[in-house]
Amino acid sequence: MLFFNQKKTFRGGIHPNTYKELTEDLSFEIMPPPKQVIIPLSQHTGKPAKPLINKGTKVKTGELIAEQDGYISANIHSSVTGKVIKISSAVNVNGFIKESIFIETDENEEFCKMPSLNIEAITAEEIKTRIKDAGIVGLGGAAFPAYVKLSPPDKKIDYVILNGCECEPYLTRDYRLMIERTDDIISGLKLIMKAVNASKGIIGIEDNKIEAINKLKKALSNYSDISIIPLKTKYPQGAEKMLIKAVINREVPPGKLPFDVGCIIHNIGTTISIYDAISKGEPQITAAITVSGKGINKPKNLIARVGTPLIDIINFCGGIKSNTKKIIVGGPMMGIAQYDLSAPVTKATSGILVLNDEEVTNFKETNCLRCGKCVEVCPLNLIPTRLARLTQFKKYEDAKNLGITVCMECGTCTYNCPANIPLVQWIRLGKQKAMSIIS
Ligand code: SF4
Ligand code: SF4
């Protein structure tokens, strides 16, 4: 096994306080099914799934209730046993209203699993088919259907890279998974390597996760084809392009994808879902979530059923403190502030942060100082101040020429701006306009 002592990283980035101490030593707890789940038909990149059930249908836990529609879409399974009470619009954690299946939970749970498959004898095609059938989506943010990622068009894949960085502050779910399910992650990685015929696997982990690095290192002592690479603790170390640059020193050109430079990236949680789907026949019906922040009474790492309303999770964690200011789904850098706690967790929900008045500051924006600090930290070498300015002046074509559509909306520039200019918010707006107006 290869093990590199040097701390690899990428250019730019920031190092915000991590606040991981709130939950990093807390083992996963399993939350019982809530009284009702609200399962959105769209919890992945691509077309919403097509419902296969109607109002009144009785369903079992793990039963297919909506099927993928088109190539980029994903199957959805019931996360509880119960009765479908309606298919209707509901607010989701991204702030949009989405068609969703409401299921009232029955106390007597019955499971409906797929047959287990032999992880040694399985073929590449069987792996991809099972991942597709199980409705597995990437858990790193965009919720891209996993089987599509594993079917690169005529590309030779040299490396499968697992993203063990978890560079967003507060979140500790991937760290806990690496500690609690070490061997399953390695088996999942081997399955992904087989699916894309890659000869090498790499797990990139930020160097603040010592226990995870040590556990994986020990478990990998008999594997010559998988390496662990400790990386400098820095945000956004877990962004795909940054990770690839740091671990194999390849650059993904603008508009291209990891497979264009011979690699596939998967998240730690996705890898476990793949292992569970193949070895245990389990579809993706739970989400591993960090519930943290100084505003929650009992921070936890939690396994919750997909479709559980945020309010039920918050109550399971002891409720919120009176000085709570903001609730965010995801990490504080890229997550989304919530306005309705009836929104349900989805397959890709990574965290629920309940922040109090110490953790939330209202900044006063001032004029740009032309200090260049936003340019210094942008990992993609963009000029955030100029992109924001061009958006303010509605010069979307100029912004596009300067690379606005490449921005990954990491928020690093905004974090580093002494004038408190909401750069990423302007850039996000400009990016949407540039993509919709200019072909
Ligand atoms: S949000 Fe965009 S412009 Fe700002 S640092 Fe990240 S990639 Fe660069
Ligand atoms: S960091 Fe803020 S103040 Fe400095 S150049 Fe960028 S936008 Fe202007």
Side-chain angles (χ1 to χ4, degrees):
M1 185 194 72
L2 294 172
F3 189 79
F4 298 94
N5 287 322
Q6 70 268 37
K7 292 169 185 174
K8 299 190 171 200
T9 191
F10 61 96
R11 177 215 165 268
I14 49 171
H15 193 166
N17 282 339
T18 64
Y19 302 105
K20 299 208 186 237
E21 65 282 359
L22 291 168
T23 52
E24 66 189 350
D25 294 327
L26 303 177
S27 302
F28 277 104
E29 281 182 42
I30 297 175
M31 181 178 166
K35 286 203 169 79
Q36 185 190 90
V37 289
I38 304 164
I39 303 180
L41 292 169
S42 177
Q43 38 183 317
H44 47 261
T45 300
K47 270 180 99 176
K50 280 189 296 191
L52 297 171
I53 39 75
N54 298 306
K55 182 179 171 186
T57 308
K58 291 197 172 157
V59 293
K60 293 180 184 168
T61 305
E63 190 173 328
L64 184 66
I65 52 172
E67 65 180 354
Q68 71 170 92
D69 188 9
Y71 183 56
I72 301 183
S73 183
N75 281 343
I76 292 175
H77 303 76
S78 179
S79 59
V80 294
T81 298
K83 191 162 103 181
V84 175
I85 51 172
K86 62 178 173 176
I87 302 173
S88 174
S89 302
V91 68
N92 78 0
V93 291
N94 293 328
F96 298 110
I97 305 293
K98 298 278 181 188
E99 200 73 349
S100 305
I101 299 172
F102 290 65
I103 305 172
E104 200 171 66
T105 309
D106 194 320
E107 279 178 11
N108 301 314
E109 185 154 42
E110 288 182 77
F111 292 90
C112 176
K113 289 187 182 181
M114 297 171 283
S116 300
L117 300 172
N118 181 330
I119 62 169
E120 303 299 332
I122 193 167
T123 65
E125 277 320 303
E126 286 167 339
I127 294 170
K128 287 186 255 189
T129 303
R130 173 53 62 93
I131 291 171
K132 183 176 170 185
D133 290 347
I136 294 172
V137 302
L139 302 182
F144 200 78
Y147 81 97
V148 179
K149 224 180 183 182
L150 294 179
S151 312
D154 294 330
K155 301 279 178 184
K156 165 92 182 81
I157 302 299
D158 311 312
Y159 296 98
V160 173
I161 302 173
L162 290 196
N163 179 0
C165 292
E166 199 164 52
C167 57
E168 279 256 16
Y170 292 95
L171 303 184
T172 56
R173 97 180 158 165
D174 289 354
Y175 173 67
R176 290 306 314 175
L177 287 172
M178 286 189 276
I179 290 172
E180 295 179 36
R181 299 204 56 190
T182 318
D183 292 333
D184 298 345
I185 289 168
I186 297 168
S187 300
L189 173 54
K190 293 289 284 182
L191 287 163
I192 298 170
M193 288 164 65
K194 192 179 217 180
V196 295
N197 196 22
S199 56
K200 290 194 180 72
I202 297 177
I203 309 175
I205 312 179
E206 283 190 335
D207 61 1
N208 61 350
K209 299 176 181 64
I210 304 291
E211 197 180 337
I213 291 175
N214 288 341
K215 271 208 90 171
L216 278 159
K217 194 180 156 191
K218 196 168 165 207
L220 283 169
S221 56
N222 293 324
Y223 292 80
S224 57
D225 53 352
I226 301 178
S227 318
I228 297 176
I229 298 196
L231 303 164
K232 198 168 172 182
T233 299
K234 195 166 78 171
Y235 178 84
Q237 186 65 81
E240 282 192 346
K241 290 185 179 184
M242 309 304 98
L243 187 58
I244 294 168
K245 175 71 183 158
V247 299
I248 55 170
N249 198 24
R250 291 184 188 173
E251 286 192 23
V252 182
K256 298 285 181 189
L257 293 165
F259 63 64
D260 290 305
V261 296
C263 58
I264 299 265
I265 309 269
H266 269 290
N267 175 271
I268 292 291
T270 320
T271 308
I272 290 176
S273 296
I274 288 171
Y275 172 78
D276 286 345
I278 291 167
S279 69
K280 303 178 192 165
E282 291 176 1
Q284 201 171 24
I285 58 167
T286 57
I289 305 165
T290 297
V291 186
S292 189
K294 293 182 185 171
I296 190 87
N297 279 315
K298 292 182 191 155
K300 290 182 195 293
N301 284 305
L302 204 61
I303 305 288
R305 305 292 175 110
V306 166
T308 305
L310 299 177
I311 188 66
D312 289 358
I313 292 187
I314 287 169
N315 288 337
F316 186 70
C317 295
I320 61 174
K321 294 180 184 160
S322 58
N323 60 348
T324 294
K325 277 274 189 239
K326 196 182 251 190
I327 297 179
I328 292 175
V329 163
M333 300 300 294
M334 293 188 75
I336 297 177
Q338 300 298 306
Y339 65 91
D340 186 338
L341 296 181
S342 69
V345 301
T346 61
K347 295 176 187 180
T349 302
S350 56
I352 300 171
L353 305 184
V354 182
L355 306 180
N356 72 6
D357 49 14
E358 273 175 52
E359 297 165 293
V360 178
T361 314
N362 289 325
F363 293 109
K364 189 169 172 348
E365 184 182 337
T366 57
N367 289 335
C368 176
L369 310 167
R370 298 184 176 276
C371 63
K373 284 181 187 288
C374 55
V375 183
E376 234 169 70
V377 294
C378 176
L380 297 180
N381 298 320
L382 298 171
I383 310 173
T385 178
R386 189 132 177 76
L387 296 175
R389 205 86 178 126
L390 288 169
T391 303
Q392 285 163 351
F393 289 116
K394 300 191 169 47
K395 297 200 167 184
Y396 306 123
E397 188 142 14
D398 290 349
K400 191 187 176 212
N401 292 337
L402 260 189
I404 198 166
T405 55
V406 172
C407 168
M408 58 179 160
E409 303 177 19
C410 64
T412 303
C413 49
T414 309
Y415 183 88
N416 217 37
C417 174
N420 302 313
I421 299 169
L423 294 164
V424 68
Q425 286 81 356
W426 279 114
I427 292 171
R428 193 177 288 148
L429 176 69
K431 191 175 154 186
Q432 277 168 9
K433 297 280 184 190
M435 290 200 293
S436 63
I437 294 171
I438 306 158
S439 62

